[in-house]
Amino acid sequence: MPELLKELKDVQSVHGSLVLTNGPIQNTVWAQNIWLNAEIIPFESISQAAKILKSKGKLWAHYSFENHRRTELIQEQLPKLRSRVMNFLGDLPKDPIGAWTLLDKNTLLVSSETNSPFPLGNIEFNEDKKTPPSRAYLKLWELFTVYGVKPSPGQRVVDFGSCPGGWTWVLQQMGCNVVSIDRAPLDEKIAKLPRIQFMKTNAFNVKPEDIGAIDWFFSDIICYPAKLLELVKNWQSSGLCANFVCTIKFQGKTDFETLAEFQRLENARIQHLHHNKHEVTVWIRKSSP
Ligand SMILES: C[S@@+](CC[C@H](N)C(=O)[O-])C[C@H]1O[C@@H](n2cnc3c(N)ncnc32)[C@H](O)[C@@H]1O
């Protein structure tokens, strides 16, 4: 929330985790869900509120920051929202969902369109609780499934800061040939999988020429953002890789300056994914973001 407030211009008011802004829709790094056509509508009774919502759309996700019981009573009168738990690389839900909240007992904030097919932007997966050695794999699952940014089978990829091996596992499962690099060892069962070449070393000492041409650069290294930026620029100028996916991790304070430098990279897109913690994901594609 502090990051979002710093990022947004023309903030009008804040309601729980909802920020209302004036003017056109803003593209943000930090918003989980953007309500695209929000309107404020007064109402008298619960049934009237439900009627208003039904007249504006079919499926609704509710957000409640106060008046919880009243919100629930209204939501109960709307068609039931079925679970939208995703499978990895599954098709995205097609039916749009609106979002609404109560600003006070008699005032609806309603948006029949949002920028996500998931309720309030909450993306859940049918997780694999057995194989991956860490939950970091969910970041790649989200990026690949929801944003469609993904490598193809047979491509050569590098995974920096790969231990214990969640990302390496995802990439290997997708049919990629993975050069997996960390100072710490990979989980044993991941290390045994085919198409993985593990290098136990400091990522910052590895030169692009040591690895050669790759299709994708992945990094989930814990390091200062400026250090990661240097590594990315180094690889970009080598001409040996065109596509990048990295987690920019913040220790303590958010480094807005370096974040802005990442934003200035050509074709870079940065998003705080649902599965990101105090970090954001940047991806840079060869042609378009
Ligand atoms: C968050 S973990 C990565 C998790 C991994 N993506 C997964 O899915 O399991 C960050 C990793 O960065 C590694 N790391 C930190 N500094 C590094 C460096 N200079 N060189 C190589 N690895 C480094 C750490 O050893 C740690 O394993």
Side-chain angles (χ1 to χ4, degrees), residues 132-197:
S134 72
R135 294 190 79 238
Y137 75 97
L138 289 167
K139 291 183 271 188
L140 285 191
W141 273 26
E142 180 177 343
L143 185 72
F144 294 175
T145 307
V146 179
Y147 297 84
V149 173
K150 55 175 194 283
S152 308
Q155 286 192 319
R156 185 164 189 253
V157 305
V158 73
D159 179 16
F160 283 114
S162 57
C163 164
W167 283 29
T168 289
W169 170 73
V170 173
L171 295 165
Q172 189 274 347
Q173 292 286 298
M174 289 187 72
C176 296
N177 297 301
V178 191
V179 182
S180 176
I181 300 174
D182 204 296
R183 287 189 303 212
L186 278 182
D187 176 277
E188 268 178 31
K189 63 178 186 302
I190 304 297
K192 280 189 202 143
L193 296 171
R195 297 190 305 279
I196 295 174
Q197 177 201 344

Side-chain angles (χ1 to χ4, degrees), residues 264-283:
R264 283 194 286 272
L265 295 177
E266 203 183 333
N267 289 333
R269 165 135 187 224
I270 306 182
Q271 188 64 45
H272 183 266
L273 301 179
H274 180 67
H275 292 95
N276 276 141
K277 294 182 182 145
H278 190 35
E279 57 188 20
V280 293
T281 299
V282 53
W283 60 97

